Amino acid sequence: MGELRVRSVLVTGANRGIGLGFVRHLLGLPNPPEWVFAACRDPKGQRAQELQNLASKHPNLVIVPLEVTELASIKAAAASVGERLKDSGLNLLINNAGIGNNSSLDNVTQEDLAQKYATNTIGPLLLSQAFLPLLKKAAQGSPGSGLSCSKAAIINMSSYAGSIQDVYVWEYGEAISYRCSKAALNMLTKCQSLGYREHGILCAAFHPGWVITDMGGTIENKTRVTVDVSVRGMLKVMSSLSEKDTGTFVDWEGKVLPW
């Protein structure tokens, strides 16, 4: 597996955790993207300070305001990115923004489920729809007939917790709303892979590992990985994905996971 080579990439939830890790690693590649779009809710706020610092040092990094649960915000982001890219299109959309909690069967509520689905499932769906014209444009402008992340791709940040066959780390928490939203995201990824193949767009769902982040919680477990290890691994796997891999569910090491 070689190094990921991509002209343009957009990462959602880019102000912290895995999203910020993606931005750092993309900017640090030997051949970094011409454009790295880092999307987050409040680009000028305190929680985006690290992104702001990076943007001051990297002219190819553009911070984009985005609330993934609001269609107007999604459309505005797509228009803003399109103006920058002009005729070249967007090569890689990484739907990373997500939320979670440890709701149980006894206490999960309608509001909790709706909130998790809005961010973890519906957000990636609406973002993919909004950026589809730019992804199509990138695919059309790339040589070759195969699929790859350097041509045009949608990567949905899922979780092994969404696997129905193997309910990952149930002993650490039921996380009902989170698990259900990620299982739905996996199905969305599969559907996108079937619907967008004809447009030359690869689609895959990733489990980043049980990453040591604020969202990942404070439980100590030997299987947990750092943001750097996770992101470096995922970028390596992305560089190797091809037509045979569209519609797959893989982890940060490239292992295919059960639905």
Side-chain angles (χ1 to χ4, degrees), residues 48 70 170:
E70 295 177 5
W170 175 264

Side-chain angles (χ1 to χ4, degrees), residues 12-16 39-41 66-71 74 94-101 110-128 155-158 177-178 180-186 188 215:
T12 68
N15 62 306
R16 62 179 184 145
C40 65
R41 284 177 181 162
L66 173 68
E67 170 50 72
V68 300
T69 63
E70 295 177 5
L71 185 57
I74 290 170
I94 301 179
N95 284 316
N96 166 73
I99 54 174
N101 68 359
Q110 178 179 349
E111 291 75 21
D112 181 46
L113 275 167
Q115 182 189 44
K116 300 306 176 292
Y117 271 87
T119 299
N120 297 348
T121 313
I122 300 171
L125 168 63
L126 297 178
L127 274 152
S128 300
I155 299 297
N156 291 324
M157 206 53 50
S158 184
S177 54
Y178 179 75
C180 290
S181 69
K182 292 299 187 178
L185 179 62
N186 286 349
L188 172 64
M215 183 172 159

Side-chain angles (χ1 to χ4, degrees), residues 67-192:
E67 170 50 72
V68 300
T69 63
E70 295 177 5
L71 185 57
S73 177
I74 290 170
K75 288 183 174 179
S80 172
V81 170
E83 286 175 15
R84 297 266 187 173
L85 293 174
K86 297 184 173 27
D87 295 327
S88 61
L90 179 70
N91 297 112
L92 181 58
L93 169 61
I94 301 179
N95 284 316
N96 166 73
I99 54 174
N101 68 359
N102 196 18
S103 57
S104 70
L105 283 169
D106 292 337
N107 68 25
V108 67
T109 64
Q110 178 179 349
E111 291 75 21
D112 181 46
L113 275 167
Q115 182 189 44
K116 300 306 176 292
Y117 271 87
T119 299
N120 297 348
T121 313
I122 300 171
L125 168 63
L126 297 178
L127 274 152
S128 300
Q129 289 176 335
F131 283 91
L132 184 59
L134 291 174
L135 290 161
K136 284 182 179 179
K137 194 177 289 186
Q140 291 162 1
S142 299
S145 58
L147 303 181
S148 73
C149 286
S150 60
K151 181 177 183 178
I154 297 169
I155 299 297
N156 291 324
M157 206 53 50
S158 184
S159 170
Y160 201 177
S163 170
I164 294 172
Q165 182 176 326
D166 185 1
V167 185
Y168 180 65
V169 294
W170 175 264
E171 64 274 20
Y172 288 104
E174 295 179 10
I176 301 301
S177 54
Y178 179 75
R179 290 182 189 277
C180 290
S181 69
K182 292 299 187 178
L185 179 62
N186 286 349
M187 174 55 88
L188 172 64
T189 306
K190 193 70 176 179
C191 292
Q192 288 175 328

